[in-house]
Amino acid sequence: YEEIRQIGEYYFSKDFYKQALELFEKIENETSKTLDLCQKVGYCYQKLGDFSSALKHYLQAEIILPNQKWTIRKIAYCYRMLKDYGQALEYYLRIEEMSPDNLTILTQIGNCFLNNKQYDEALAYYFKVEYVTSNNIKMWRAIAWSSFLAGKPDQAKKFLEKAIEEKEDWTDYLNLGHIFFVNGDKKDAILNYKKAIELHENSLDFFLETFNRDSVYLKEKGIDDIEVSIVLDYLRYLVE
């Protein structure tokens, strides 16, 4: 199998993952599993977008050699891509124990908590990252969104305004609109929604598509369909 392995390694080194995978799996199916081969087969599947198969091989690698940071990180990533945020969180927390100051890992832990609707836990991690970085607009927006979902509108507004002051984005005004809407201030909600549309090439259709995705969160906070219709109808009147 040495010659096949060498060809597979060549393909792998050149990012020809499909060709490398075919050769690596041929070896894997006819010999005993090794850590290196499980990791490389998993990585090929990952790069080809087959996260379930990648995860299977990474988990096999974890059995062969437990607690290897590279493998655990790949397992966490695959679970996250498969939207299994509970399992992803479990593995990211293991990485945190090994690398407690890794800001990328801390951010991903926050993201997993956010996707699990554990908003206060998400905020704790986002604030950790925000504390040790400067002018981290991405983190301000994450804190703002998590604060909104956690029922902390004043905190959400504060961090959105910081982001806007640094570098405004249409999503900032969309989320500000949500905050005003939930607080019963439809006038300011509409003004901010209008600003969001203006900043995104005046595309009402794109705005509505995004707004409709967010509407589930508005309903959770007591906004009913009639109120949504009234606000959107008035918004259409202003921009069309």
Side-chain angles (χ1 to χ4, degrees), residues 38-69:
C38 283
Q39 288 178 328
K40 283 182 174 171
V41 170
Y43 191 75
C44 287
Y45 274 121
Q46 177 188 319
K47 298 302 284 187
L48 293 169
D50 185 346
F51 299 108
S52 293
S53 295
L55 178 60
K56 175 184 173 184
H57 284 83
Y58 289 146
L59 289 170
Q60 289 172 345
E62 163 73 355
I63 291 170
I64 294 169
L65 182 63
N67 298 318
Q68 189 186 64
K69 191 192 298 183

Side-chain angles (χ1 to χ4, degrees), residues 170 173-178 181 185-200 202-212 214 218 226-240:
W170 74 274
Y173 291 100
L174 171 71
N175 292 335
L176 265 179
H178 292 340
F181 199 176
D185 186 346
K186 294 185 180 66
K187 180 181 177 182
D188 280 331
I190 290 167
L191 289 175
N192 279 280
Y193 289 150
K194 185 173 181 288
K195 182 71 173 178
I197 294 168
E198 290 169 355
L199 284 178
H200 199 280
N202 285 311
S203 175
L204 178 61
D205 288 341
F206 187 86
F207 171 85
L208 291 175
E209 182 182 324
T210 310
F211 182 94
N212 287 333
D214 287 355
L218 297 177
I226 295 173
E227 290 178 288
V228 168
S229 295
I230 291 169
V231 166
L232 293 183
D233 284 346
Y234 192 72
L235 195 57
R236 286 188 185 94
Y237 168 76
L238 289 177
V239 300
E240 288 183 339

Side-chain angles (χ1 to χ4, degrees), residues 25-154:
E25 285 201 313
K26 180 177 175 63
I27 298 169
E28 188 182 50
N29 291 335
E30 297 180 20
T31 62
S32 58
K33 294 185 184 300
T34 65
L35 175 68
D36 183 59
L37 203 54
C38 283
Q39 288 178 328
K40 283 182 174 171
V41 170
Y43 191 75
C44 287
Y45 274 121
Q46 177 188 319
K47 298 302 284 187
L48 293 169
D50 185 346
F51 299 108
S52 293
S53 295
L55 178 60
K56 175 184 173 184
H57 284 83
Y58 289 146
L59 289 170
Q60 289 172 345
E62 163 73 355
I63 291 170
I64 294 169
L65 182 63
N67 298 318
Q68 189 186 64
K69 191 192 298 183
W70 187 91
T71 306
I72 295 172
R73 190 165 183 164
K74 294 298 181 186
I75 291 170
Y77 173 79
C78 287
Y79 274 127
R80 182 164 60 86
M81 295 305 291
L82 292 167
K83 302 189 186 304
D84 188 340
Y85 300 111
Q87 286 288 351
L89 178 61
E90 180 182 320
Y91 283 89
Y92 278 127
L93 288 171
R94 286 176 61 184
I95 304 169
E96 184 193 12
E97 291 179 3
M98 302 175 189
S99 303
D101 299 322
N102 187 312
L103 298 183
T104 301
I105 297 303
L106 295 178
T107 300
Q108 291 301 344
I109 291 172
N111 293 342
C112 287
F113 276 126
L114 177 62
N115 282 296
N116 279 340
K117 298 186 177 183
Q118 296 172 269
Y119 305 127
D120 288 329
E121 290 84 350
L123 280 167
Y125 275 87
Y126 290 149
F127 274 120
K128 278 185 188 180
V129 177
E130 196 265 344
Y131 180 74
V132 297
T133 56
S134 59
N135 291 339
N136 192 332
I137 302 175
K138 185 177 179 181
M139 203 50 52
W140 292 344
R141 289 179 175 133
I143 290 170
W145 182 244
S146 298
S147 298
F148 170 68
L149 296 177
K152 301 175 180 179
D154 291 341

Side-chain angles (χ1 to χ4, degrees), residues 156-170:
K157 188 169 178 287
K158 171 189 169 184
F159 279 92
L160 279 176
E161 288 173 345
K162 284 180 69 172
I164 288 169
E165 186 176 339
E166 190 70 25
K167 186 179 180 182
E168 66 181 6
D169 183 83
W170 74 274

